[in-house]
Amino acid sequence: MKKLITAASALTALLIMQASPAADEISAEARLAAQHVAVMTCANCHGPQGRSIVPKFPTLAGQHPKYLAAQLQAFKAQTRGDPDALGYMWGMSAPLSDDLIGALAAYYGAQTPGPGRGGDSGAIARGADIYANGVAAEGIPPCVACHGPGAVGTEEAPRLAGQHAQYLLKQLRSFQNNMRNVAVMHGVAQDLKATEMHSVAAYLQSLGGA
Ligand code: HEC
Ligand code: HEC
């Protein structure tokens, strides 16, 4: 906890030093500040270089910068409202300037994702089928249509490959009950059964690398 508090004061000091926002460019100062905040603060939960080892904390390494920045802005605006988002990330994101958010997103986007983690092979196979084909009878669309082959994500939808199953499962539930209020994923998740969520999460966790 002491480490976190020290990191938080370092964060505040850096934010005061922040220059005014530059359009699409990330200044050298913002880059350095982001690296410092990532190592001193964010890594306490999200792991070194954003490769999280604790299932509650999502892996950030290799995630698309546009998605990361949008999520940090949503935490800061308090519109991503699941209890864990509220409990952990509203406070963390509150002091971040737009510049620093852009630089943090670029920093994590540039990190190499970790390896996949195995699990129940039956669930993984069922999950692979749902990912590729959806569940036609229940009106669930193929995830691959938006999240891309290998679940590496696209400009429009986040990377899911190698993410912790526990985190993914919780997000699917939060989309379903609208605690994380995103129309497109509410539509996808609203009729997903618990076993289908478990399977698709196990499959996604098993995917690793690039
Ligand atoms: C004390 C622990 C903790 C710290 C420190 C922390 N986070 Fe988080 N972060 C979380 C948790 C928990 C979640 C998942 C929230 C949820 O389940 O909705 C999260 C979610 C996120 C997400 C969303 C990821 C996704 O896939 O949607 C981003 C981005 C993020 N954090 C960035 C950061 C950054 C950048 C920092 C440093 C400024 C940071 N976090 C510091 C706990 C933490
Ligand atoms: C029509 C496009 C579309 C389809 C189909 C789709 N998704 Fe998504 N998904 C998105 C978008 C866009 C987001 C980002 C939501 C946001 O902005 O918070 C997302 C976010 C997610 C997240 C949150 C990731 C994180 O890091 O927090 C999970 C988990 C997810 N989708 C799983 C799935 C699964 C599983 C399927 C298939 C059953 C699926 N999605 C199908 C568009 C889609």
Side-chain angles (χ1 to χ4, degrees):
M1 199 58 210
K2 185 153 171 270
K3 202 171 155 202
L4 258 177
I5 292 166
T6 322
S9 1
L11 177 65
T12 315
L14 278 162
L15 293 168
I16 293 164
M17 281 163 48
Q18 280 286 298
S20 60
D24 276 339
E25 269 182 31
I26 298 163
S27 65
E29 286 108 309
R31 221 176 270 282
L32 271 176
Q35 232 168 45
H36 187 84
V37 170
V39 171
M40 299 303 292
T41 304
C42 319
N44 285 306
C45 296
H46 293 286
Q49 284 91 48
R51 287 190 290 277
S52 154
I53 48 173
V54 182
K56 184 183 186 69
F57 303 129
T59 279
L60 306 177
Q63 185 56 275
H64 295 268
K66 189 175 145 192
Y67 171 79
L68 289 172
Q71 298 313 303
L72 287 168
Q73 294 290 2
F75 291 131
K76 190 176 166 182
Q78 307 190 345
T79 52
R80 179 166 161 181
D82 164 298
D84 288 329
L86 184 158
Y88 290 90
M89 285 307 298
W90 285 14
M92 280 293 151
S93 58
L96 303 178
S97 68
D98 289 350
D99 259 9
L100 193 51
I101 285 179
L104 281 163
Y107 169 84
Y108 283 116
Q111 306 305 316
T112 311
R117 286 169 293 269
D120 173 349
S121 58
I124 291 174
R126 173 81 182 108
D129 182 47
I130 295 170
Y131 188 84
N133 305 309
V135 187
E138 293 161 17
I140 291 154
C143 321
V144 69
C146 296
H147 292 279
V152 296
T154 64
E155 271 297 294
E156 305 310 322
R159 174 189 178 89
L160 303 173
Q163 188 55 276
H164 294 291
Q166 182 186 314
Y167 170 81
L168 292 168
L169 191 58
K170 212 212 56 187
Q171 299 312 307
L172 288 170
R173 288 203 203 99
S174 294
F175 287 130
Q176 190 172 61
N177 63 26
N178 267 333
M179 272 194 206
R180 183 173 172 186
N181 193 350
V182 181
V184 58
M185 277 306 301
H186 178 71
V188 170
Q190 62 182 343
D191 294 323
L192 267 180
K193 300 193 174 103
T195 53
E196 293 164 344
M197 288 187 189
H198 274 279
S199 301
V200 81
Y203 166 67
L204 292 167
Q205 176 177 257
S206 76
L207 301 171

